[in-house]
Amino acid sequence: MTSSAAIFAIAVLAPLGGSLIAGLFGRIIGDRPAQAITIGLMAAACASAIATLFSGVPQDMGTAVVSLGHWIDAGGFHANWSLRADMLSLSMVAMVTTISLCVHIYSVGYMNHEEMPTYRFFSYLSLFTFAMLMLVTSNDLIQLFFGWEGVGLVSYLLIGYWYDKPSAVAAAIKAFVVNRVADLFFLVGIALLFLQFGSVTYDNIFAVVPAQVGATYHLFGTDWPVFEVIGTLLFIGAMGKSAQLFLHTWLPDAMEGPTPVSALIHAATMVTAGVFLMARMSPLLEFAPGTKTLIVLIGGTTCFFAATVGLVQPDIKRTIAYSTCSQLGYMFMAAGVGVYQASIFHLTTHAFFKALLFLGAGSVIHAIHGEQDMFRMGGLWRKIPFTYAVMWIGSLALAGVFPFAGYWSKDGILEAMWAAQSGPATYGWAMGVVTAFITALYSWRLIFLVFHGTPRDAHLSEHAHEGGIAIVLPLGILGVGAVLAGVLLDRFYIGTAQAQFWQGSIVNGAGAAVMNRMEEVPGLIALAPSIAGLLGIAVAYLAYMARPELPASLARSLRPVYLFLLNKWYFDELYDVLFVRPYRALARILWKGADEGVVEQVPVGLARLTVGTAVQAARTQSGSIAIYAFTMLIGLVVLTTTLLFVH
Amino acid sequence: MNWIIAFPELVLTLCGLVILTVGVVQKKSTNPFAACSMLTIAAFAITGFLVTVSPDGSGYEHVFVNDGFARFMKVLSLIGGALATIMTLSYRGTSGGGRFELPVLILFSTIGTMLMASSDNMMTLFVGLELSSLAIYILCAFDRDSVVSSESGLKYFILGSLASGLLLYGISLTYGYGGTMEYGAIRTVLIQSGGASLGLMLGIVFLIAGLAFKLSAVPFHMWTPDVYQGAPTPVTAYLAGAPKIATFALILRIMAGPFGALAPQWQLLIEMISVLSMVFGSLAAIPQTNIKRLMAYSSIGHMGYALMGLAAATPGGIRGTLVYLTTYLFMNVGVFAGIAAMRRKGHETTDIADLSGLGRTSPGLALMMAIFMFSMLGMPPTAGFFGKLMVFSAAYGAGLYGLLAIGAITSAIGAYYYLRIVKVMYFDASAPAFDTRSPSLAFLSVSMGIVTALFVLVLGPVTSAAQAAASALIG
């Protein structure tokens, strides 16, 4: 193992060490040392990751694999523990460790009012990071699935961290179950990949992909292209993790967890896994045009859907949660037209400003003692000016205003959508532009409601104050990232230097042409998202500052629409009717009818029959010699008769 | 005359007469009970040794035969007799048992069982059976001041007479249609005639009925619960052991020997009896509250399982039956030793409820009883498991799947009432403690417990002895 490989291994494994030490020995060593150790190891991981990213991968290879050991060797099936170092994984590792470090530091300040020891929390945070790092550095689909499930597990643990709160436990279970549904499809996809290619290692699969384009499954009387089937299954898996439409219902509920967890889930770990999977499997997806169309449609719709719902939510964290859902829609759209670079770019910039927004929101919540309803806030900007400033930065980045981070990446995605020049892509572009307007609208709705106007609850805002250095420092770092990430990375991620930067870790088939055309997009089209964003800010100012009575009257006059949005398009209710209730009914039938009625009744009935017969049998013993003798003679007659019949 | 082949029986008879004389000539002031009991046990021991060294052979105009099978059965009978005599020692000084005729009668009954094991002629069969039975009739009513004891003796005598009548009628029919009473000759006749006449077959049915009565196999079992409950406990222990083994010796010998060629005809009858015994034995035991009655039904069920080996009509089946009887003998004596220990202030108590909390008041006895109960239901690795395993596998080998299934089901039902006793002993609120056990009972329950629990150690020798006995019978 060379020194660079060792450094890369530190980046991935240090969080595991932190998690184990804090988790297993936290009770002994105490809270503060546990926090210090996890943060220290996380910082080491972050430094190693950035160092590795700057040194890059060996020029001629494009990919380096650090082998850690064998895992499964069964017949022709091999899976190893290994760390894959290509530019895709390196950039992900650097981003994940940076965000995670900020969240770790922030948690020290945020969790200081907890009554329970918090070593468990820090252990989970580090484990969460480790699982995500295993996911992005996997060299085969099995290790990727390991990380995938690890992320799912720890998200369950963290969302339900306050396990004495029933709503938190319910949200944790919901997140886990919804993810399991998606994981089932993903797992089938992996199994089909193994069947088709005889291997689960990326390089082995990608090497033979072009040769097997024509392969089909014959099922239900039709031929199904293998790559479309596999691609769709993988995409459904990604939909679950990345909360795309139809499998998004867990994401808003996940707000039940502590706010740093929300930041981690939404920015660095968990939801980005789906987008990463699309980029990682790009050599395969490029041969599945049907799947890509599906991705564009789902992504575009999610983008619009989540933004509309976010527009009416009263809860500050839920508003930001829907914005994540919406931004993930952008990333999938880009993947759907084959410009994975743009989706990873947006993923990275989004990580900075979304973590910033969440931690800023956490700072607000922390300042006013746990209140999350924006309609009870107001006028806070004087009390917590630093938070106010970073929320502005985060919102400007989210809305895609030049020169903040979001501008570069969102602009890239929308240009790619336009340049793709196909029906679905144009639909995605339209959705994206409309959503850019709504995004700006709900972002400034949040800012105006929370920070401006008169305090609606004087008691709440009275004692509001900034958090300590542990809260301010990460906000500062992320704020810098939210400003600069776009302008600095644009050239490498999607700009002129992208080919040298990615070094083939992302494959563009048809997308390559789109990449080239992106620069030739007409000026007005390129400006559209910016205009939409500024328009959104103006409308928000009008509605929430200039004429605050307007939204209420609008909600009254358009009550059905308002309720439709407030109830998240009734997805939870729909699923309740479609899945939960029929399943409950079926389970009840099986429980009451099949189990209690049949399975349980059989032994009970047999026992009853036995006892009844037993009492009758014992009753024959009357004590009378005459009856005894008679019985013997009857027996003799029976035996004789039997013999005569047989004879 | 080759008297040497009957030497053990002759010695035991002489011993019996001597012990009887010793008992009679004692002065009134001294109770000869203990002395006679000890002498009887010694006589059993000597006879047992003589049996093991006695040579093969047939004699006295083909009325008596000595072979491996006879020796195996005689040893079991003698062990049964000796263990029952040891148990009677605890009855010294009680109204029911403290008289010297008790061991002497057990001794004479045991001579009868030995004759049964060695019978080579229908006449020996009948004489041996009656010798054994007459002694038992007296034994049952031995506690003559007790109404239930007298009643049990009377009931057993009347029904036993009926059974003897059936048996005798069966012998007459066999003689009438077969022309001989010698086993060997009957076999030859049947093989030569290539089948049996209807009359001879009827004779077999009557024979089976008469012997099934002694086995207390359904539907000839009706006497069993009343007699088991009424008779003094050591007598019940004897009754459930040696006579049943000797009757099995008879039924195995005549079915495998003279009537071996007719197996397809009688197999069905044995199967019926076996099934009925297993089902009735396991069901009727469930509502019982008296442990001696419970053991009566248990014994009915066990005879059903043992008959399974005969129903298979193979050497493996006979071997299975022999091993089954061996294990049954030991665990049965152990249980009755435990029952005999159930005394409060000198009075026998036989309700199952009296065992409540025995696990706390008398842990040693409770442990032994638990071992016997697990063995009775056939739990590995206790003795009962191996017996059951062998007869079940023999039935499987003979293709008697229905019989096998019923055996498995009734075993499961039987587990209920055996385990109920364990539950009562260990989980119910404690009843008052029993009187201190006499040394003989303590010796019996502990030694039988050890044999039952560690039977696997002697399984090999026992199985090979049973194998030798079975091959002596079938050849």
Side-chain angles (χ1 to χ4, degrees):
Chain A
M1 196 185 276
T2 61
S3 62
S4 65
I7 292 172
F8 189 53
I10 288 173
V12 176
L13 298 177
L16 176 66
S19 170
L20 289 178
I21 294 170
L24 297 179
F25 306 110
R27 192 189 289 265
I28 303 166
I29 60 178
D31 242 15
R32 285 286 157 190
Q35 291 175 356
I37 287 169
T38 48
I39 291 172
L41 286 169
M42 205 59 233
C46 183
S48 314
I50 291 172
T52 324
L53 180 64
F54 275 102
S55 66
V57 291
Q59 278 301 318
D60 48 337
M61 290 164 65
T63 303
V65 176
V66 182
S67 184
L68 297 180
H70 291 280
W71 183 13
I72 303 172
D73 280 305
F77 184 90
H78 303 285
N80 295 325
W81 294 112
S82 48
L83 306 177
R84 180 186 174 92
D86 59 10
M87 286 315 289
L88 180 59
S89 63
L90 288 183
S91 61
M92 287 296 287
V93 168
M95 184 277 286
V96 169
T97 49
T98 309
I99 302 292
S100 181
L101 178 62
C102 291
V103 171
H104 271 75
I105 297 170
Y106 180 87
S107 299
V108 174
Y110 191 81
M111 302 297 280
N112 63 0
H113 295 312
E114 285 291 298
E115 288 168 10
M116 301 260 290
T118 52
Y119 63 84
R120 185 166 65 94
F121 186 74
F122 283 86
S123 170
Y124 288 167
L125 285 185
S126 286
L127 189 62
F128 206 177
T129 314
F130 167 71
M132 188 65 189
L133 292 176
M134 285 309 276
L135 194 160
V136 297
T137 59
S138 62
N139 193 38
D140 57 40
L141 282 157
I142 301 302
Q143 188 185 324
L144 182 129
F145 194 71
F146 167 81
W148 193 267
E149 290 301 300
V151 164
L153 166 71
V154 189
S155 70
Y156 164 82
L157 294 173
L158 280 170
I159 294 169
Y161 179 75
W162 286 316
Y163 53 74
D164 49 356
K165 219 166 93 183
S167 59
V169 174
I173 293 174
K174 188 174 180 181
F176 198 74
V177 170
V178 173
N179 270 293
R180 294 303 310 172
V181 172
D183 291 348
L184 178 65
F185 290 89
F186 185 31
L187 203 53
V188 173
I190 294 175
L192 290 180
L193 270 175
F194 178 70
L195 275 183
Q196 186 67 31
F197 299 103
S199 172
V200 287
T201 310
Y202 298 139
D203 292 335
N204 295 350
I205 295 174
F206 298 155
V208 285
V209 161
Q212 303 200 3
V213 170
T216 53
Y217 293 121
H218 192 73
L219 196 67
F220 307 125
T222 327
D223 284 332
W224 304 79
V226 167
F227 291 177
E228 297 288 3
V229 172
I230 293 173
T232 306
L233 288 169
L234 296 185
F235 173 57
I236 294 174
M239 279 168 69
K241 226 20 105 215
S242 294
Q244 291 300 286
L245 195 63
F246 303 117
L247 289 171
H248 66 279
T249 52
W250 65 271
L251 189 67
D253 288 11
M255 292 302 106
E256 290 291 344
T259 307
V261 176
S262 309
L264 202 52
I265 288 182
H266 286 248
T269 58
M270 190 88 178
V271 295
T272 52
V275 180
F276 168 79
L277 178 68
M278 295 296 107
R280 177 55 87 203
M281 299 309 288
S282 57
L284 180 80
L285 286 176
E286 284 303 300
F287 292 96
T291 304
K292 286 171 71 185
T293 305
L294 178 70
I295 296 173
V296 172
L297 292 178
I298 293 278
T301 314
T302 306
C303 165
F304 174 71
F305 149 79
T308 58
V309 176
L311 195 54
V312 297
Q313 294 301 313
D315 186 303
I316 181 169
K317 278 175 72 182
R318 278 178 185 260
T319 305
I320 307 176
Y322 277 105
S323 103
T324 306
C325 198
S326 171
Q327 297 303 311
L328 287 166
Y330 279 108
M331 299 175 207
F332 274 99
M333 280 199 295
V337 293
V339 189
Y340 308 96
Q341 290 89 335
S343 63
I344 295 294
F345 186 29
H346 196 52
L347 189 157
T348 308
T349 58
H350 173 259
F352 283 102
F353 62 73
K354 189 48 59 71
L356 178 66
L357 282 171
F358 261 116
L359 297 184
S363 174
V364 171
I365 295 166
H366 192 251
I368 53 174
H369 310 293
E371 182 55 57
Q372 300 191 12
D373 188 345
M374 291 190 289
F375 288 103
R376 299 188 62 191
M377 301 174 189
L380 285 172
W381 74 274
R382 282 176 207 284
K383 304 269 186 185
I384 41 175
F386 181 76
T387 307
Y388 176 60
V390 296
M391 287 300 275
W392 259 95
I393 294 174
S395 297
L396 286 170
L398 174 61
V401 176
F402 183 85
F404 294 93
Y407 164 79
W408 303 93
S409 53
K410 194 186 280 186
D411 215 42
I413 288 176
L414 289 173
E415 280 173 9
M417 298 311 291
W418 181 265
Q421 294 173 346
S422 70
T426 311
Y427 165 80
W429 179 82
M431 282 294 166
V433 173
V434 173
T435 305
F437 165 73
I438 305 175
T439 305
L441 181 54
Y442 66 64
S443 297
W444 268 269
R445 167 178 174 266
L446 186 153
I447 286 180
F448 292 142
L449 280 177
V450 172
F451 295 103
H452 291 272
T454 50
R456 292 175 191 79
D457 192 330
H459 179 69
L460 266 183
S461 55
E462 206 173 347
H463 301 293
H465 58 88
E466 286 288 0
I469 179 72
I471 287 188
V472 171
L473 178 68
L475 289 178
I477 297 172
L478 291 170
V480 171
V483 177
L484 297 180
V487 66
L488 290 183
L489 297 177
D490 182 63
R491 202 170 72 84
F492 301 107
Y493 274 60
I494 57 171
T496 47
Q498 65 96 3
Q500 296 91 315
F501 179 75
W502 293 112
Q503 294 181 20
S505 59
I506 293 177
V507 171
N508 303 102
V514 179
M515 291 286 288
N516 295 333
R517 279 202 300 272
M518 272 169 66
E519 298 306 317
E520 303 152 16
V521 170
L524 193 61
I525 298 298
L527 280 177
S530 302
I531 295 169
L534 292 173
L535 204 60
I537 297 172
V539 171
Y541 179 80
L542 183 71
Y544 293 96
M545 290 293 287
R547 296 187 56 195
E549 75 286 352
L550 194 66
S553 68
L554 202 62
R556 261 196 306 281
S557 54
L558 294 173
R559 188 160 177 77
V561 177
Y562 173 71
L563 283 180
F564 180 68
L565 296 182
L566 188 66
N567 288 298
K568 308 151 245 170
W569 292 26
Y570 293 104
F571 264 107
D572 281 333
E573 288 74 9
L574 185 70
Y575 285 175
D576 191 48
V577 172
L578 277 184
F579 302 115
V580 180
R581 281 196 207 158
Y583 185 81
R584 255 178 202 279
L586 179 68
R588 203 177 166 74
I589 290 168
L590 289 176
W591 169 32
K592 289 286 180 190
D595 187 54
E596 287 192 355
V598 180
V599 177
E600 210 172 295
Q601 284 307 307
V602 168
V604 168
L606 280 178
R608 210 169 281 157
L609 180 73
T610 307
V611 171
T613 323
V615 172
Q616 291 302 323
R619 200 170 284 169
T620 59
Q621 213 71 40
S622 61
S624 155
I625 295 187
I627 291 178
Y628 288 6
F630 185 66
T631 312
M632 286 171 62
L633 293 179
I634 296 280
L636 185 69
V637 170
V638 170
L639 287 187
T640 313
T641 314
T642 313
L643 181 84
L644 291 178
F645 266 112
V646 178
H647 194 61
Chain B
M1 195 139 124
N2 187 10
W3 53 271
I4 194 81
I5 57 168
F7 188 62
E9 282 83 353
L10 294 174
V11 168
L12 192 58
T13 312
L14 280 175
C15 287
L17 293 173
V18 169
I19 295 166
L20 189 60
T21 316
V22 168
V24 170
V25 300
Q26 288 284 333
K27 293 198 189 72
K28 285 268 177 194
S29 55
T30 55
N31 189 345
F33 173 71
C36 289
S37 296
M38 292 302 182
L39 286 173
T40 308
I41 295 165
F44 280 138
I46 294 165
T47 314
F49 171 72
L50 291 176
V51 166
T52 53
V53 297
S54 61
D56 280 4
S58 167
Y60 321 113
E61 304 294 328
H62 293 290
V63 296
F64 192 94
V65 68
N66 197 30
D67 53 14
F69 177 74
R71 278 196 294 277
F72 188 88
M73 289 315 222
K74 281 182 201 173
V75 169
L76 283 188
S77 288
L78 287 167
I79 291 173
L83 294 175
T85 313
I86 296 174
M87 206 184 296
T88 60
L89 280 174
S90 71
Y91 275 61
R92 183 168 46 184
T94 62
S95 64
R99 281 172 284 131
F100 76 91
E101 291 91 344
L102 188 61
V104 178
L105 281 168
I106 291 177
L107 189 149
F108 282 122
S109 173
T110 309
I111 295 172
T113 61
M114 291 174 73
L115 280 179
M116 287 156 81
S118 271
S119 76
D120 200 20
N121 186 300
M122 294 283 178
M123 248 23 258
T124 332
L125 181 158
F126 188 72
V127 169
L129 191 65
E130 286 307 303
L131 176 57
S132 167
S133 297
L134 280 170
I136 294 173
Y137 298 148
I138 305 168
L139 282 171
C140 286
F142 201 76
D143 189 359
R144 57 193 175 199
D145 298 332
S146 155
V147 176
V148 287
S149 179
S150 311
E151 183 196 336
S152 78
L154 187 64
K155 269 186 185 167
Y156 193 27
F157 178 64
I158 294 173
L159 294 171
S161 307
L162 178 61
S164 294
L166 295 178
L167 187 70
L168 211 45
Y169 193 49
I171 292 173
S172 310
L173 282 170
T174 312
Y175 181 56
Y177 285 90
T180 174
M181 285 200 286
E182 283 172 29
Y183 294 167
I186 294 174
R187 189 183 173 83
T188 317
V189 166
L190 283 176
I191 289 170
Q192 277 168 356
S193 64
S197 59
L198 190 59
L200 189 65
M201 287 308 299
L202 277 178
I204 294 176
V205 175
F206 276 78
L207 275 171
I208 290 176
L211 293 175
F213 173 83
K214 293 289 170 197
L215 289 180
S216 61
V218 181
F220 309 101
H221 65 285
M222 298 297 272
W223 60 276
T224 319
D226 293 358
V227 172
Y228 270 44
Q229 189 184 2
T233 305
V235 174
T236 313
Y238 177 71
L239 190 55
K244 289 211 160 51
I245 286 164
T247 312
F248 251 108
L250 279 183
I251 200 163
L252 288 174
R253 193 181 278 286
I254 62 170
M255 288 303 159
F259 304 131
L262 302 177
Q265 270 89 1
W266 55 255
Q267 242 181 326
L268 181 67
L269 301 182
I270 300 292
E271 271 181 62
M272 279 174 65
I273 294 175
S274 170
V275 166
L276 287 172
S277 301
M278 290 189 292
V279 170
F280 188 81
S282 57
L283 283 178
I286 289 176
Q288 301 305 326
T289 56
N290 183 296
I291 189 156
K292 282 168 84 178
R293 268 188 105 76
L294 181 100
M295 288 310 296
Y297 289 106
S298 152
S299 144
I300 292 171
H302 279 297
M303 288 306 116
Y305 294 117
L307 280 171
M308 213 188 241
L310 175 59
T314 56
I318 290 171
R319 187 190 68 177
T321 299
L322 295 182
V323 173
Y324 196 96
L325 290 172
T326 313
T327 63
Y328 175 69
L329 177 70
F330 290 116
M331 61 193 179
N332 193 55
V333 169
V335 174
F336 278 103
I339 295 172
M342 293 169 63
R343 285 177 168 274
R344 290 210 181 92
K345 298 189 176 134
H347 294 288
E348 208 167 37
T349 57
T350 50
D351 276 351
I352 292 172
D354 289 320
L355 288 168
S356 300
L358 194 66
R360 288 178 292 278
T361 56
S362 178
L365 181 61
L367 176 66
M368 292 305 145
M369 286 295 266
I371 290 174
F372 299 132
M373 289 305 150
F374 279 114
S375 176
M376 287 267 178
L377 71 85
M379 180 80 72
T382 55
F385 167 71
F386 297 104
K388 235 171 213 173
L389 179 69
M390 286 190 178
V391 292
F392 276 37
S393 66
Y396 179 81
L400 305 175
Y401 303 122
L403 193 62
L404 194 65
I406 291 170
I409 292 169
T410 55
S411 292
I413 299 175
Y416 165 74
Y417 60 81
Y418 292 128
L419 290 179
R420 183 160 66 105
I421 299 203
V422 177
K423 174 245 169 196
V424 167
M425 289 193 300
Y426 282 95
F427 298 108
D428 283 8
S430 298
F434 293 129
D435 297 347
T436 316
R437 265 173 296 163
S438 69
S440 62
L441 292 182
F443 165 75
L444 275 182
S445 58
V446 170
S447 55
M448 293 304 111
I450 291 170
V451 171
T452 307
L454 302 179
F455 188 75
V456 65
L457 298 181
V458 294
L459 181 66
V462 169
T463 311
S464 49
Q467 180 69 51
S471 46
L473 199 56
I474 289 196

